[in-house]
Amino acid sequence: MTALLEQIKEYKEQFKKKAPAEKQELMNRATEELRASGTAQGLKVGEKAPDFTLPDATGKKVTLSEELKNGPVILTFYRGGWCPYCNLELKAYQRELDAINEASANLIAVSPETPDASLSTKEKNELDFLVLSDEGGNAGKAYDLVFDMPDYLIEVYKDSGLDVATHNGNDDWRLPKPATFVIGQDGVILFAEVDSDYTKRTDPEKVISVVQNLNK
């Protein structure tokens, strides 16, 4: 088991020990309902990746099609810097950044958070790759990832002191499913992994293998 998957396993075990049973039950219910709903399935391999222009953590505009001119792109959508699973994932990508660069690929992480919140995430995790702000979630919607949080889950988050809407600069309480894509320089999706369970994340080694094989 890789470092990321091991860390996720350990965090989940600690959460199960510490979190109230009712809170765990409601969060599990939300995951199962989202899976059963069939919404936000994510784009598939072979589809054209929608282009986008989003600000990075400093406000500089970044366009996907321009990044693709320099090489394939690993594109990962995460929920926000408030999510412990997202932070574990982002740190794992930072650890693998040399391998990604050696494969002549670019790494872009996108969340619905405001640029200020994205900057906090980037600084907190000491990230040296692009962290973009998809305020309003339009890029997430284009990749078929965005869903509405159920009212009871919103209350669970609020009771935990977490105001997702403030992080995202709106009142929507919408999130993207965590998702990872590899996009070829022709703009076609070569790898896609999306899960309704926010605790499940793509192993960076899987996507690194994809971009490494492009060079063979």
Side-chain angles (χ1 to χ4, degrees):
M1 187 178 290
T2 65
L4 173 61
L5 301 186
E6 186 66 42
Q7 288 171 340
I8 287 175
K9 181 183 176 184
E10 290 174 5
Y11 186 87
K12 287 178 73 172
E13 289 172 353
Q14 291 299 315
F15 181 78
K16 287 177 181 177
K17 291 177 184 177
K18 295 178 181 178
E22 183 182 7
K23 177 179 180 179
Q24 294 188 49
E25 185 180 321
L26 290 171
M27 294 178 80
N28 290 335
R29 172 185 160 192
T31 296
E32 291 309 313
E33 287 179 352
L34 179 58
R35 181 178 287 117
S37 72
T39 59
Q41 292 292 300
L43 298 185
K44 304 293 189 290
V45 170
E47 293 190 270
K48 192 78 171 178
D51 199 11
F52 57 73
T53 299
L54 297 172
D56 69 7
T58 65
K60 179 185 175 184
K61 296 291 179 66
V62 176
T63 300
L64 174 62
S65 55
E66 290 299 313
E67 295 302 311
L68 286 170
K69 291 177 182 178
N70 301 318
V73 167
I74 297 170
L75 175 64
T76 185
F77 284 85
Y78 68 102
R79 306 194 309 158
W82 49 266
C83 170
Y85 297 95
C86 295
N87 287 319
L88 289 174
E89 180 183 35
L90 293 171
K91 289 176 183 176
Y93 274 112
Q94 178 63 34
R95 291 194 298 270
E96 300 294 342
L97 196 54
D98 285 346
I100 293 169
N101 292 335
E102 285 169 11
S104 301
N106 303 304
L107 175 61
I108 299 176
V110 176
S111 85
E113 292 192 299
T114 64
D116 279 351
S118 295
L119 182 60
S120 296
T121 299
K122 186 177 173 74
E123 291 177 341
K124 176 178 68 177
N125 293 314
E126 298 180 336
L127 307 177
D128 296 320
F129 51 85
L130 289 170
V131 178
L132 306 186
S133 176
D134 182 26
E135 252 187 293
N138 289 327
K141 292 172 189 172
Y143 282 77
D144 191 25
L145 300 173
V146 177
F147 64 93
D148 292 306
M149 295 175 65
D151 290 341
Y152 66 84
L153 186 61
I154 292 173
E155 292 308 312
V156 168
Y157 277 39
K158 284 182 175 178
D159 288 345
S160 301
L162 177 57
D163 188 345
V164 172
T166 297
H167 281 267
N168 295 352
N170 57 47
D171 299 318
D172 290 344
W173 285 89
R174 290 183 182 133
L175 289 174
K177 288 182 180 178
T180 302
F181 303 93
V182 175
I183 304 169
Q185 286 193 266
D186 58 359
V188 174
I189 296 172
L190 304 173
F191 172 94
E193 196 161 271
V194 182
D195 204 298
S196 297
D197 184 347
Y198 66 91
T199 71
K200 293 184 178 178
R201 301 302 168 107
T202 299
D203 187 339
E205 290 186 2
K206 290 173 72 174
V207 292
I208 291 169
S209 176
V210 172
V211 293
Q212 286 174 337
N213 286 334
L214 294 176
N215 297 326
K216 292 181 179 178

